[in-house]
Amino acid sequence: MSAPKAIVTDIEGTTSSIAFVKDVLFPFARKHLAEYVATHGQSATVRQCLSDARTLAGEPGLDEIGTVALLQRWLNVDRKATPLKTLQGLIWEEGYARGEIKGHVHADAARALREWHAKGLRLYVYSSGSIAAQKLIFGYSVEGDLTPVFSGYFDTTTGPKVEAASYTTIARTLELPPGDILFLSDNVAELDAAKQAGLRTAALDRGEVALPPGHGHPVFHDFTSLDPFARVS
């Protein structure tokens, strides 16, 4: 089988450490959420996020304090809600700009992404974090600015990562047959959905998540051992 024409990669547990997201990014957003909403509450984006959160919760009458408390609860359980992810991205943007945060990207991932890009592979990101947050992790990474290697980004506005329809949408957007796209993730439910949509898949096992046995996806422990030009499935 020929090499894929495009690679779509997850972030958390794949290109980057789960610990970075859970121990650095989430606490930073949690600490600054109320302050950010109080300071930027009149901006159209923040107002829309608050409104969307109330709608999602079925509580249109919540005031600002109640809505922030709702968002904090969602943050504590890592709910994949677009208004929360959008606000997190905005908060992190300020942290990155002030130099308080540096995006974690594994050295092997950064090296491979640059090599694949140089060889002509189209690279994309699909993460539950907002597109703005994705660009920040790679733009302010410890491995330098990696945004030039990516051709595009996808987040929850495309659809849930555990639904095959989301990957069908991505393939349609890329104007490629699903079989020409390789999806990388540490999440078997996501890999199953991508495979159901016809994408090729590869599971990353960096020792942070226990992959269930018999899941049926090729497993790699880092990007160094993953050569899309040598093996594809």
Side-chain angles (χ1 to χ4, degrees), residues 53-74:
R54 295 182 192 110
T55 300
L56 276 175
E59 300 184 56
L62 274 182
D63 60 12
E64 182 175 297
I65 294 175
T67 306
V68 169
L70 169 70
L71 289 164
Q72 289 281 20
R73 291 195 297 273
W74 286 357

Side-chain angles (χ1 to χ4, degrees), residues 28-231:
F28 190 90
R30 188 177 297 111
K31 177 181 178 182
H32 295 282
L33 177 60
E35 174 192 353
Y36 187 90
V37 171
T39 304
H40 302 279
Q42 295 309 307
S43 78
T45 300
V46 172
R47 288 202 309 271
Q48 188 63 55
C49 286
L50 297 180
S51 176
D52 290 347
R54 295 182 192 110
T55 300
L56 276 175
E59 300 184 56
L62 274 182
D63 60 12
E64 182 175 297
I65 294 175
T67 306
V68 169
L70 169 70
L71 289 164
Q72 289 281 20
R73 291 195 297 273
W74 286 357
L75 201 160
N76 289 338
V77 297
D78 188 22
R79 177 165 174 176
K80 313 297 185 183
T82 297
L84 172 62
K85 296 302 179 181
T86 299
L87 283 171
Q88 284 177 327
L90 293 170
I91 294 166
W92 293 331
E93 182 177 12
E94 287 196 349
Y96 282 111
R98 293 195 297 260
E100 296 175 38
I101 308 174
K102 276 284 189 182
H104 177 266
V105 177
H106 292 290
D108 61 270
R111 184 167 53 252
L113 290 168
R114 288 185 170 116
E115 290 176 358
W116 297 343
H117 173 71
K119 290 180 178 179
L121 274 177
R122 292 161 56 184
L123 304 178
Y124 299 86
V125 179
Y126 183 23
S127 173
S128 58
S130 68
I131 288 174
Q134 297 171 26
K135 291 179 177 179
L136 290 169
I137 285 180
F138 290 111
Y140 291 89
S141 94
V142 292
E143 296 295 328
D145 183 3
L146 289 162
T147 56
V149 308
F150 292 108
S151 297
Y153 305 81
F154 299 93
D155 60 12
T156 53
T157 59
T158 295
K161 295 182 71 182
V162 295
E163 293 185 6
S166 302
Y167 299 89
T168 299
T169 298
I170 288 174
R172 189 181 303 120
T173 301
L174 301 190
E175 299 182 337
L176 287 174
D180 284 344
I181 304 169
L182 174 62
F183 177 60
L184 312 178
S185 178
D186 69 324
N187 187 306
V188 170
E190 296 173 3
L191 293 164
D192 287 346
K195 189 173 184 178
Q196 184 181 345
L199 278 67
R200 309 183 203 183
T201 58
L204 268 294
D205 181 2
R206 293 187 178 274
E208 294 183 287
V209 174
L211 298 180
H215 54 73
H217 303 281
V219 177
F220 300 88
H221 296 289
D222 54 35
F223 277 49
T224 301
S225 58
L226 200 171
D227 184 354
F229 299 97
R231 55 78 37 217

